[in-house]
Amino acid sequence: MKDIREESLAEGEAIGFAKGEAEEKLATAKRLLSIGLSVQDVAKGTSLSVEQVEKIKAELA
């Protein structure tokens, strides 16, 4: 029983970490775009795809 609970906790932590990391990349991309960096530079700096950054840029417009 303890193993299942520990596995569930570890899985929840991994999901939470991944979600937080994705939210931070999004926030960073928005900041970098707002200071005038190019879509390509933002993609390189955040490890997001160019397409993802273009979508974020369109949402900011």
Side-chain angles (χ1 to χ4, degrees):
M1 189 77 151
K2 189 174 181 181
D3 290 333
I4 293 172
R5 193 171 32 223
E6 287 176 0
E7 285 180 30
S8 296
L9 179 60
E11 184 178 332
E13 287 175 346
I15 292 169
F17 180 78
K19 184 177 179 185
E21 189 175 63
E23 289 173 359
E24 183 58 31
K25 284 183 179 185
L26 175 64
T28 300
K30 287 179 179 181
R31 277 194 311 277
L32 295 174
L33 287 168
S34 74
I35 62 171
L37 266 65
S38 71
V39 169
Q40 290 77 14
D41 286 340
V42 173
K44 287 179 188 176
T46 59
S47 299
L48 294 171
S49 70
V50 170
E51 292 81 16
Q52 288 172 307
V53 177
E54 287 175 340
K55 183 178 177 185
I56 294 165
K57 185 175 182 178
E59 291 171 359
L60 293 175

